[in-house]
Amino acid sequence: QRQHAHSFFEELFLASPEAIVVVDNDGNILEANPQTELLFGYGCGELLGNPIEILVPDRLRPVHAAHRNVYRNAPHVRPMGAGHDLYGKRKDGSEFPVDIMLSPMETARGHIVMSVIRDITERKQTEELMQKLALSDPLTGIGNYRRLQEAFDTESKWFNRTGRHSTLLLLDIDGLNQITGLRERIGGLFRETV
C-alpha cells in the first residue's frame, strides 16, 4: 500500500501543471518536475544537486540566499500571492516574474522544502495595463486627475524630505481633439507632461 501511495504521488508530481522544485536544508535541488524544465529551460539533470539560486537572477542571489537562511531557521508555509515581487531566471538568462508557494516538510531524507512556482508574466502585464488605464485618459493617453494627484503626492513627499522647491502648472486646453490628431500624426514625439 505504501508503494502504491508513493507511485500515486510521483504521478501527481510529474503531471502537475505548475513547476515544482524540492530542495534540501542547504538549498540544493533534490527534485524538479517536467514543468520546471519547460519553465526554466534546464534539463532535470542540469538542476539536480545545484543550489536553488541557479533559478534566481544574478542580481537577487545574495538576497535570496540570506532569505533562505532565515527561512531555514523558521520554516513555515508561504502561500501564493504573499505580496513579494519575485523573479525567476531561465537558462538563457532571461528573467520573468513568478509567484512561489513554499511548504516545509520533515521526511526520512531530513528537512526539505517544496516550492511550487508559477509564471505570472501575463498577470503582471494585465496589472500594468490596468494601472495605465487608471492613470490616463484612454482617448489621448494623457495623465488624468488621478495621475495628477499621484504626481503631486510624490513631489510633496520629495519636498518634505529634501526641502527642494517645485512648481505646479495646470493648463486648461481647449480643442483637445485637434491636439490628439496632432499626436497621432507625429507619433512618439508628443510627450505627456504632468
Side-chain angles (χ1 to χ4, degrees):
Q1 193 174 31
R2 182 175 289 173
Q3 180 65 29
H4 177 70
H6 177 75
S7 177
F8 175 72
F9 286 114
E10 187 173 345
E11 287 176 27
L12 288 177
F13 178 77
L14 295 174
S16 171
E18 306 287 0
I20 301 175
V21 178
V22 179
V23 299
D24 65 16
N25 205 34
D26 296 320
N28 296 314
I29 298 172
L30 297 173
E31 298 287 344
N33 72 346
Q35 189 60 32
T36 304
E37 297 176 32
L38 290 173
L39 185 59
F40 288 95
Y42 287 98
C44 192
E46 296 174 281
L47 292 173
L48 300 184
N50 279 300
I52 189 67
E53 281 78 23
I54 194 173
L55 304 178
V56 176
D58 297 348
R59 63 189 171 85
L60 300 175
R61 285 180 181 178
V63 174
H64 185 271
H67 283 285
R68 187 170 44 77
N69 287 331
V70 170
Y71 184 86
R72 179 174 46 193
N73 294 329
H76 57 281
V77 173
R78 187 181 80 194
M80 292 272 185
H84 304 286
D85 282 334
L86 304 172
Y87 294 88
K89 179 183 172 187
R90 295 185 181 93
K91 183 179 180 178
D92 67 9
S94 61
E95 294 183 19
F96 61 104
V98 295
D99 202 352
I100 301 175
M101 185 272 297
L102 299 176
S103 182
M105 293 180 257
E106 277 300 327
T107 69
R109 297 170 75 172
H111 179 76
I112 63 171
V113 177
M114 181 179 73
S115 307
V116 178
I117 306 165
R118 180 179 297 157
D119 181 350
I120 58 168
T121 301
E122 285 185 25
R123 187 178 88 194
K124 284 288 190 184
Q125 290 170 343
T126 301
E127 288 172 0
E128 288 170 10
L129 177 61
M130 297 302 288
Q131 178 79 357
K132 182 179 177 183
L133 290 173
L135 297 176
S136 63
D137 176 73
L139 177 65
T140 63
I142 296 174
N144 61 14
Y145 178 77
R146 188 174 290 145
R147 173 68 180 101
L148 173 65
Q149 185 64 45
E150 184 181 88
F152 183 74
D153 290 345
T154 300
E155 287 300 316
S156 295
K157 289 174 186 172
W158 184 252
F159 170 76
N160 290 334
R161 224 180 3 237
T162 65
R164 184 188 73 159
H165 295 287
S166 300
T167 302
L168 176 64
L169 177 64
L170 295 174
L171 300 174
D172 183 12
I173 301 174
D174 292 326
L176 191 58
N177 288 339
Q178 294 171 355
I179 292 173
T180 302
L182 177 64
R183 178 181 183 208
E184 290 169 359
R185 278 180 272 158
I186 61 175
L189 298 177
F190 185 83
R191 294 240 158 109
E192 167 190 346
T193 55
V194 177

